[in-house]
Amino acid sequence: MIYTVTVNPALDYVIQMEQLDWGEVNRSNNCSFLAGGKGINVSQILNQLGVDNTAWGFIGGFTGKELVRQVNQRRIVSDFVTISDATRVNVKLHAGKETEINAAGPTITKQEILAFEDRLNVLQKGDIVVLSGSLAPSLPVDFYQQLLPTIKAAGAEFVIDTTGQALLDTLSYRPLVIKPNHHELAELFNTTFNSDAEMLNAARKLLDLGAQNVMVSMAGSGGYLVTAKHAYHANAAVGTAVNSVGAGDSMIAGFVGTYVQAGDLSECFKMGMACGAATAFTKDIAIKSQIDAVLPQITVEQIS
């Protein structure tokens, strides 16, 4: 079983209008509420791949009820902790350019944190927990890291999608896969890359620090997967990128979903690249037919 974690989900209030006149009364052409959250995005792709999963996190208030309604509508199995504060609302304003106003998130009490930690008691050997997304401001900055000993003690694997020191602090617990893009990878080591060889050497340093597998996304240049035995390169699919939101989540979902079904790392990488591209080519999270259309474009080559 795969468990996705979104500790600070949101209802995205998407407003579309021709133009915005600051200080004036404006009328929108269209508006909608959409359930958002990186772990929820992962669950959506896993559903498209036919992989059993459960979404965990915190929800509360009337906004939380609407988020759960939409999650249920998408046939995502969830087991959220209900909190006394309300799930946040993020505003996405489309008026020529896109402007985002993201709320910080709700207050989560110690009792509610303990209720979430109780969810981990169901973990068994072979399960995978995907930890991704921002933390609510009331959670400790090392919240994800605090969960890792329990996850590993159960014999489960984990995937973490974060950056910087927060990522480095988890590597000793041996995440199944991490997915920095090439810019984030350079920032981890306070450097710049003059060649792909330098980038691959940096990825191998993350293996030395504990990561089991490292995927490096490079937008139009494709991506790399570095494992304990080999390095692979995949080309980028051809298409018009219209959406960057959720592409990285989709890439992780493709990798992890294929891992529990097949376990072949090159196939996991190929599906991850296909899912990421399919989402980038659509305005929402990709569906199976879109993933299937992109998959034949992806070629994975072992380079070492």
Side-chain angles (χ1 to χ4, degrees):
M1 174 68 77
I2 298 177
Y3 298 91
T4 66
V5 177
T6 310
V7 295
N8 197 16
L11 271 186
D12 290 339
Y13 185 40
V14 182
I15 304 172
Q16 297 178 337
M17 54 201 312
E18 294 295 331
Q19 66 179 42
L20 175 65
D21 296 321
W22 293 102
E24 303 293 336
V25 175
N26 294 269
R27 304 259 179 210
S28 66
N29 297 331
N30 187 33
C31 59
S32 59
F33 281 105
L34 299 174
K38 292 177 71 63
I40 293 171
N41 294 341
V42 173
S43 281
Q44 284 188 248
I45 292 290
L46 291 174
N47 276 6
Q48 296 301 312
L49 300 179
V51 178
D52 290 339
N53 69 95
T54 298
W56 283 342
F58 300 97
I59 56 96
F62 74 97
T63 47
K65 290 180 180 178
E66 172 59 18
L67 186 144
V68 170
R69 186 192 71 80
Q70 292 195 22
V71 164
N72 291 341
Q73 193 175 49
R74 299 173 191 176
R75 301 183 183 277
I76 296 173
V77 176
S78 65
D79 186 17
F80 294 110
V81 173
T82 300
I83 61 175
S84 55
D85 204 356
T87 296
R88 62 181 176 151
V89 175
N90 295 336
V91 178
K92 315 291 185 181
L93 179 60
H94 298 266
K97 296 181 179 180
E98 181 175 335
T99 300
E100 297 188 9
I101 305 172
N102 290 343
T107 297
I108 300 171
T109 67
K110 291 183 179 179
Q111 291 75 15
E112 291 161 351
I113 292 173
L114 289 174
F116 177 85
E117 291 174 345
D118 285 343
R119 299 294 195 273
L120 302 182
N121 292 333
V122 304
L123 291 175
Q124 302 176 16
K125 184 176 181 179
D127 290 342
I128 300 174
V129 182
V130 180
L131 305 162
S132 55
S134 65
L135 298 175
S138 57
L139 291 174
V141 295
D142 61 346
F143 177 76
Y144 287 145
Q145 188 177 351
Q146 290 181 20
L147 303 177
L148 301 184
T150 302
I151 294 171
K152 299 300 288 189
E157 300 277 9
F158 77 96
V159 176
I160 187 157
D161 185 10
T162 187
T163 59
Q165 190 61 45
L167 174 61
L168 294 174
D169 289 343
T170 68
L171 296 185
S172 62
Y173 293 94
R174 294 189 49 76
L176 174 63
V177 64
I178 58 175
K179 192 209 67 62
N181 63 40
H182 55 303
H183 299 299
E184 293 166 341
L185 180 57
E187 290 171 1
L188 284 174
F189 297 102
N190 193 29
T191 188
T192 57
F193 300 133
N194 296 312
S195 67
D196 284 6
E198 291 182 0
M199 183 178 62
L200 290 172
N201 285 336
R204 291 186 179 98
K205 289 180 182 179
L206 297 179
L207 295 182
D208 293 338
L209 291 172
Q212 296 183 51
N213 302 285
V214 180
M215 280 195 297
V216 183
S217 55
M218 301 170 61
S221 298
Y224 285 97
L225 171 68
V226 181
T227 76
K229 295 183 178 179
H230 303 294
Y232 302 89
H233 177 262
N235 63 296
V238 177
T240 301
V242 297
N243 171 36
S244 62
V245 177
D249 308 324
S250 299
M251 189 174 179
I252 286 174
F255 184 98
V256 174
T258 306
Y259 184 85
V260 299
Q261 292 177 318
D264 182 272
L265 293 176
S266 64
E267 289 301 313
C268 296
F269 182 38
K270 181 176 182 177
M271 181 60 76
M273 291 292 293
C275 291
T279 289
F281 297 161
T282 183
K283 292 183 179 180
D284 200 353
I285 303 301
I287 60 176
K288 189 175 188 301
S289 61
Q290 294 166 326
I291 297 168
D292 290 343
V294 170
L295 187 61
Q297 294 188 40
I298 306 297
T299 300
V300 174
E301 177 188 8
Q302 181 180 319
I303 59 174
S304 67

